[in-house]
Amino acid sequence: TVNANDIAVTGAKPEYLIVDLLLPEADTDYDLVDSVFGQIARAAEAQGISVIGGHTEVTYGLDRVIAVGTMIGRIRGRKPITAAGMKEGDLIVLTKGIAIEGTAILAKEKKEALKDLIDENLLMRASKFLFDPGISVVKEALTASDIPGVHAMHDPTEGGLATAVHEMAIASGTGVLLFYEKINVYPETLAICEALGLDPLGLIASGALLIAIAPEDAGKLIESISGAGIQANVIGEVKDADFGVKIERDGRLYDLPIFSQDEITKAL
């Protein structure tokens, strides 16, 4: 799914997957191999992707399965969309919210530590975030790529939303102003981050999509993505480079934090 996201945010449709699969010597048996290939096949089929090859081996010295995916897609427009295309005056749209992947990982890996700190039903919902709301951004990315005013797209992953915004600003040579109150942070994410002392802005955020778009086309973009059943709203605007990368919160302006490592590493 993450491989497909990387292709889709360029405006290309993910079509073919090559997988190099390294299996641990001590634990590999028929059931493990069948399970791994079954998961890959189901995920690929769900997105209309063909698994066309790769390499599989049992490798000594491993204590876990390692899968390396290469996704191939076809550009739908005349040229790829990149994170470097933001223009001063663009609006920044966020789909879904943050931080879907980090929330799911923490809900599973820190379940024992969290069960006495937050509501049980909330924790259960959070543990299913990989599938609902889900970490795929393919549908919304391809929807956005059909709108001419879209200048840049980027899917936040390690380092969260804040890191992704800094990356887009650096790549495009611009500044950015974010509005904290406009950023959708799921209640499950807030509860887990507060319990563990983490900042959701720096938590791995696969499942969200950042889109920089000309102001006159923002309404059409949000309408199109919302029509596909996916939440989308404006969370910021692109400034000139001298402005820097800032966030407005409670009516005050701050530098947007830079996370040298993902917030999840503080808890795991």
Side-chain angles (χ1 to χ4, degrees):
T1 299
V2 174
N3 285 161
N5 287 350
D6 289 342
I7 292 295
V9 297
T10 70
K13 185 181 185 304
E15 295 182 272
Y16 306 107
L17 177 67
I18 299 169
V19 182
D20 289 335
L21 195 62
L22 308 180
L23 302 166
E25 185 179 21
D27 300 320
T28 297
D29 56 19
Y30 177 86
D31 289 339
L32 174 66
V33 176
D34 187 59
S35 172
V36 172
F37 273 104
Q39 291 179 52
I40 292 170
R42 287 191 296 274
E45 183 179 5
Q47 298 201 42
I49 293 165
S50 299
V51 180
I52 61 170
H55 173 75
T56 304
E57 68 174 51
V58 175
T59 306
Y60 71 88
L62 294 183
D63 60 0
R64 65 198 185 283
V65 175
I66 297 177
V68 183
T70 300
M71 188 72 70
I72 300 168
R74 197 184 311 269
I75 293 289
R76 289 145 52 96
R78 289 182 294 176
K79 60 180 182 178
I81 299 169
T82 74
M86 290 200 307
K87 302 178 186 298
E88 184 179 347
D90 280 354
L91 298 180
I92 298 177
V93 173
L94 174 71
T95 69
K96 295 181 186 169
I98 62 167
I100 295 169
E101 184 175 6
T103 302
I105 293 171
L106 290 170
K108 289 186 175 183
E109 298 297 329
K110 303 296 290 185
K111 181 179 179 180
E112 289 303 310
L114 289 167
K115 68 180 183 181
D116 295 327
L117 299 175
I118 64 176
D119 179 75
E120 180 182 358
N121 291 329
L122 184 147
L123 187 58
M124 184 177 298
R125 290 197 304 272
S127 68
K128 299 176 181 177
F129 262 32
L130 289 183
F131 305 99
D132 183 15
I135 62 169
S136 174
V137 300
V138 172
K139 183 186 293 185
E140 50 266 49
L142 294 182
T143 298
S145 68
D146 289 333
I147 297 175
V150 169
H151 296 144
M153 291 196 287
H154 190 23
D155 55 325
T157 52
E158 289 84 356
L161 176 72
T163 298
V165 170
H166 276 290
E167 289 170 346
M168 293 180 79
I170 291 169
S172 58
T174 62
V176 172
L177 172 61
L178 293 184
F179 306 107
Y180 182 82
E181 284 77 14
K182 298 289 187 181
I183 299 169
N184 179 32
V185 185
Y186 294 99
E188 294 84 353
T189 304
L190 276 177
I192 289 174
C193 285
E194 288 175 0
L196 298 175
L198 307 178
D199 188 337
L201 291 176
L203 183 61
I204 184 169
S206 300
L209 175 63
L210 288 167
I211 306 166
I213 185 167
E216 62 270 21
D217 293 315
K220 180 179 179 181
L221 172 71
I222 291 172
E223 182 181 354
S224 298
I225 292 176
S226 299
I230 299 166
Q231 180 181 348
N233 65 287
V234 174
I235 65 163
E237 54 191 47
V238 181
K239 301 286 191 179
D240 66 81
D242 291 339
F243 180 84
V245 182
K246 302 185 183 300
I247 185 165
E248 182 181 283
R249 185 170 184 175
D250 298 324
R252 299 183 66 181
L253 208 58
Y254 304 90
D255 289 331
L256 183 66
I258 296 174
F259 294 88
S260 58
Q261 60 185 34
D262 196 286
E263 285 287 271
I264 203 168
T265 62
K266 296 178 181 179
L268 300 181

